[in-house]
Amino acid sequence: MSSANPPSQFVLRSPAERIALRLPVRGTVFAGLLVVCLTLVSCVSLATGSYGVALSEVWETLRGVTISRAIDNVVWEFRFPRTICAALVGAMMALSGAVLQNATRNSLADPSLVGISQGAALAVVGLTVMFPELDTGLRPWIAFAGSILVAAAIRALSHTRQGGSTIRFILMGIGLSAFISSLTSILLTYGQIDRAMAALAWLAGSINAASWNDVWTLAGWTAVLFPALMLISRSMSAMRFGEAAATGLGAPVTLVRNMQLAIAVGFAAIATSVVGPLGFVGLIAPHAARRLAPAGMGLHLVLTALLGATLVGLADLVGRAAFAPTQIPAGILTSLIGVPVFVLLLMRSRHQSSH
């Protein structure tokens, strides 16, 4: 008697069948739905604002048809780079959280929670307040340096004779995050008022000043970091079971562990250097992706990136349209959503550990 159950996965093969990719049906369907959602959010974002543009006019403008010079400027110079920046930043922060959670084997890890984003923020605020004459093109490198120093400090402080502890890593990160935030506040309090105001607006996590230069910066780093992440995704799957099990399965544990940390820091630092800290995106997106469709590490990372892009794109759209003409930075909205999610996850974690 044949089974009537639908297949749970299918296989994509290259023309010469030298490469085959096994994909779960549910995960692939959700990835397609998320692409549709991201496209819809982007279209509405391009059409919404103080200068109303119809969707048909947006489409014609993107096709290169000039309806009016004003619409050309609004779409190409302001809304299109802002929309792309929101999507790229959301994807990068979400991927940073997913990689950090896998590296620490702790579902509460998030770049903004353990101080990595704050390290980037302190470095950029210091640059803005103390050395305003320096080229802003140095921001990504300065932010990366600040983040990697904080990550190294957390790792060193959380290491014990018995090895690294994930909960110790998180607690050390939270403590160091508070300390770094205090240093940032000192810079803002005692710095010159105009420089402090510029840094304060950036710290709110706003995407309203995004430009094409920011798009190229984000896209360039994504083009380097995302393929590197996919290359180690199989070894990351093995490390879900612990380092001893991963070593037994033949994964290069030390190399993968260091690459995970560098990639997570890189994603968070570059995204933070462009738009400021965006809280809790790296916490929400990996959990939501896991609940939508349990999948292998590669597809999970793709789903996480799509969810992060959609979440930040939606936060930016709501922040500038729901209370117009007042604009609320996307970073404030993601934090408002993220705090209750974090509390819920903390309660679930405590409940599971008590059983």
Side-chain angles (χ1 to χ4, degrees):
M1 184 175 177
S2 63
S3 172
N5 291 332
S8 60
Q9 52 189 344
F10 63 97
V11 179
L12 282 181
R13 302 179 193 277
S14 63
E17 297 196 357
R18 299 183 64 177
I19 300 175
L21 191 61
R22 190 188 299 273
L23 294 170
V25 173
R26 184 178 172 185
T28 309
V29 168
F30 272 109
L33 289 175
L34 285 171
V35 170
V36 172
C37 287
L38 180 59
T39 305
L40 287 175
V41 169
S42 300
C43 290
V44 175
S45 183
L46 287 172
T48 305
S50 56
Y51 189 95
V53 183
L55 282 174
S56 58
E57 293 174 329
V58 169
W59 172 244
E60 291 298 322
T61 304
L62 293 179
R63 288 179 58 224
V65 178
T66 300
I67 299 171
S68 73
R69 186 174 293 275
I71 292 178
D72 263 9
N73 280 337
V74 167
V75 173
W76 284 112
E77 297 302 322
F78 298 104
R79 292 183 189 167
F80 201 27
R82 179 174 181 161
T83 303
I84 297 175
C85 263
L88 286 173
V89 164
M92 293 174 84
M93 292 300 291
L95 286 172
S96 176
V99 177
L100 208 54
Q101 287 171 18
N102 193 74
T104 61
R105 296 180 62 208
N106 191 309
S107 59
L108 299 179
D110 174 74
S112 65
L113 189 67
V114 299
I116 291 175
S117 293
Q118 283 79 359
L122 175 62
V124 174
V125 169
L127 181 76
T128 306
V129 173
M130 299 173 68
F131 305 101
E133 69 280 2
L134 287 180
D135 185 2
T136 55
L138 293 173
R139 269 187 180 181
W141 299 103
I142 298 289
F144 184 79
S147 294
I148 201 78
L149 283 175
V150 170
I154 297 170
R155 190 167 179 78
L157 290 171
S158 61
H159 193 77
T160 64
R161 290 183 179 177
Q162 291 75 34
S165 162
T166 57
I167 191 65
R168 192 179 170 89
F169 184 93
I170 299 295
L171 292 175
M172 282 292 176
I174 292 173
L176 204 56
S177 169
F179 176 70
I180 294 170
S181 296
S182 301
L183 294 180
T184 307
S185 298
I186 290 172
L187 283 173
L188 292 171
T189 303
Y190 295 104
Q192 289 188 17
I193 186 68
D194 55 333
R195 300 173 187 176
M197 288 301 292
L200 204 56
W202 173 82
L203 277 174
S206 177
I207 310 174
N208 63 354
S211 65
W212 282 109
N213 284 336
D214 297 326
V215 172
W216 302 134
T217 300
L218 293 169
W221 280 94
T222 303
V224 172
L225 295 175
F226 189 69
L229 183 58
M230 297 308 287
L231 277 176
I232 62 169
S233 61
R234 287 176 66 87
S235 298
M236 287 172 63
S237 295
M239 291 185 71
R240 279 176 166 177
F241 303 104
E243 294 187 357
T247 303
L249 292 170
V253 171
T254 304
L255 175 65
V256 173
R257 187 175 57 226
N258 291 334
M259 282 190 70
Q260 283 187 105
L261 196 58
I263 291 171
V265 168
F267 273 132
I270 305 306
T272 304
S273 72
V274 172
V275 303
L278 286 177
F280 297 101
V281 178
L283 180 71
I284 299 170
H287 282 280
R290 206 170 290 122
R291 289 189 174 280
L292 277 179
M297 181 56 73
L299 186 56
H300 172 69
L301 291 172
V302 172
L303 288 169
T304 299
L306 288 170
L307 269 169
T310 307
L311 176 64
V312 175
L314 194 59
D316 181 51
L317 173 62
V318 171
R320 67 188 171 89
F323 306 99
T326 302
Q327 294 201 11
I328 300 176
I332 293 177
L333 287 177
T334 56
S335 295
L336 287 175
I337 299 169
V339 169
V341 173
F342 175 68
V343 172
L344 182 65
L345 289 172
L346 205 59
M347 292 175 66
R348 282 173 58 88
S349 174
R350 189 175 60 181
H351 178 73
Q352 287 170 356
S353 63
S354 65
H355 286 78

